[in-house]
């Protein structure tokens, strides 16, 4: 499948602005920093377009509730549906429901399990997760080497295990650490925080209580990295002595980087994904063809280039 860049998606989006349409949007969870940026960006984009109306619902991390929302959108006669799936392994039923109603559907941010079998009027807009954990871990490896580490122990904090992004990002970490350049790194434990800051803080607190020496924390997302940082600071650990990485480049993460606590994150363009999803939904509603996979590139964020990202997510 072709990979379309953000500029192409935004250009096409502007050409769709004269098309009147009602779009149903089901978000996995409103109470999530990154998904809030994505949702708000999509809403703001739609407000600037003539005749485009969004009906945005919170699935509250409930798969059954999300499926009901999709069915309700279909019954109400929306022109297209955008879904940020709660569980990426449960998307076949969502695709089937939209297909039965002959309503276009676009998945955003989280890759559906049936992504390679989507019908012609369905698509997926996100960033390629094979890049996210790879960029993060390569930079963590570089920093550990720069610190003179010949052997390094790290903890890995995973996202929701039912989520494709968490699975892929963790796979990225394992693959980078298996390379000759980074095989001096050893993962001493990996557990899930379900993307949440408070769960990551509790997890890190438990790890610290074991007394094991460690050199870094590689997290699947920024919220988890921040939770780990909070636990380490509460334990009076010198943040200069550890390497901490995350993914998303949220505003809170960038503030943590400016404070010297977070060493690396990866910019995931929430606004770009939202705009791309809305564009794809409008095109499909008009009967136009859309690539099944539309990728918005990830970008590495470090203290050296943080200024480029401060006003984005």
């Amino acid at each position: 499948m072709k990979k379309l860049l953000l500029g192409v998606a935004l250009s096409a989006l502007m050409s769709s602005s004269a098309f009147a349409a009602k779009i149903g949007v089901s978000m996995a969870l409103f109470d999530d920093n990154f998904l809030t940026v994505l949702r708000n960006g999509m809403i703001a984009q739609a407000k600037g377009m003539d005749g485009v109306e969004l009906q945005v619902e919170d699935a509250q991390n409930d798969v059954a509730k999300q499926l009901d929302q999709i069915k309700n959108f279909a019954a109400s006669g929306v022109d297209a549906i955008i879904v940020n799936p709660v569980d990426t392994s449960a998307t076949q039923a969502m695709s089937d429901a939209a297909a039965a109603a002959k309503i276009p559907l676009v998945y955003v941010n989280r890759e559906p399990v049936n992504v390679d079998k989507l019908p012609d009027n369905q698509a997926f807009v996100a960033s390629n997760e094979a890049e996210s954990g790879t960029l993060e871990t390569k930079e963590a490896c570089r920093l550990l080497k720069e610190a003179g580490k010949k052997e390094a122990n790290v903890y890995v904090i995973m996202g929701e295990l039912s989520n494709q992004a968490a699975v892929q990002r963790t796979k990225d970490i394992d693959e980078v650490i298996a390379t000759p350049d980074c095989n001096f790194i050893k993962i001493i434990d990996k557990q899930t925080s379900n993307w949440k800051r408070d769960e990551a803080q509790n997890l890190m607190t438990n790890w610290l209580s074991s007394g094991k020496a460690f050199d870094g924390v590689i997290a699947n997302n920024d919220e988890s990295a921040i939770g780990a940082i909070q636990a380490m600071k509460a334990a009076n650990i010198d943040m200069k002595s550890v390497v901490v990485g995350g993914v998303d480049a949220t505003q809170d993460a960038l503030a943590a980087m400016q404070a010297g606590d977070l060493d690396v994150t990866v910019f995931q363009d929430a606004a770009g994904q939202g705009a791309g999803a809305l564009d794809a939904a409008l095109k499909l509603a008009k009967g136009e063809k859309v690539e099944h996979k539309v990728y918005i590139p990830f970008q590495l964020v470090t203290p050296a280039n943080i200024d480029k990202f401060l006003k984005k997510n």
Side-chain angles (χ1 to χ4, degrees), residues 16-242:
S16 303
S17 60
F19 178 66
K22 183 173 183 179
I23 311 294
V25 181
S26 175
M27 298 296 299
L29 186 67
F30 277 13
D31 188 20
D32 178 280
N33 283 359
F34 178 82
L35 295 181
T36 296
V37 176
L38 191 154
R39 180 179 83 251
N40 289 342
M42 197 184 307
I43 292 170
Q45 190 74 42
K47 284 181 178 178
M49 304 169 72
D50 292 336
V52 177
E53 178 186 351
L54 296 188
Q55 180 183 340
V56 186
E57 303 287 346
D58 182 2
Q60 298 177 332
N61 243 16
D62 185 322
V63 175
K65 184 170 186 175
Q66 185 161 62
L67 182 57
D68 284 343
Q69 288 173 349
I70 292 167
K71 291 178 179 178
N72 290 339
F73 286 147
S76 69
V78 297
D79 297 289
I81 298 170
I82 296 173
V83 179
N84 168 242
V86 170
D87 184 344
T88 55
S89 66
T91 50
Q92 185 63 58
M94 300 176 194
S95 285
D96 291 345
K102 297 182 179 179
I103 295 175
L105 182 147
V106 177
Y107 293 103
V108 64
N109 180 251
R110 298 177 175 180
E111 182 176 306
V113 68
N114 56 319
V115 68
D116 292 322
K117 299 179 181 179
L118 295 177
D120 289 343
N121 67 341
Q122 296 187 16
F124 167 56
V125 178
S127 298
N128 187 351
E129 293 295 351
E131 299 174 358
S132 57
T134 300
L135 289 169
E136 173 194 17
T137 311
K138 282 184 175 180
E139 179 64 9
C141 173
R142 187 190 71 78
L143 291 170
L144 289 167
K145 274 188 173 181
E146 190 176 79
K149 302 291 183 181
K150 302 298 183 184
E151 295 181 358
N153 293 327
V154 301
Y155 286 114
V156 172
I157 304 180
M158 301 179 289
E160 291 178 4
L161 300 183
S162 63
N163 192 287
Q164 182 273 343
V167 173
Q168 183 61 52
R169 291 177 190 180
T170 303
K171 181 182 178 184
D172 297 341
I173 294 168
D174 290 335
E175 289 180 348
V176 171
I177 289 176
T179 64
D181 281 348
C182 301
N183 62 10
F184 68 96
I185 300 172
K186 178 184 177 183
I187 297 173
I188 48 178
D189 198 5
K190 61 171 74 167
Q191 293 189 39
T192 180
S193 68
N194 295 305
W195 303 121
K196 296 179 180 178
R197 186 183 302 194
D198 58 345
E199 291 191 29
Q201 184 172 4
N202 291 336
L203 175 59
M204 192 72 224
T205 299
N206 290 337
W207 278 334
L208 290 172
S209 69
S210 73
K212 291 182 181 178
F214 68 100
D215 304 286
V217 177
I218 304 176
N220 280 174
N221 70 326
D222 287 338
E223 283 295 285
S224 298
I226 291 170
I229 289 168
Q230 289 174 333
M232 286 186 277
K233 294 182 80 170
N236 295 317
I237 289 175
D238 181 1
M239 296 309 300
K240 293 180 181 178
S241 69
V242 292

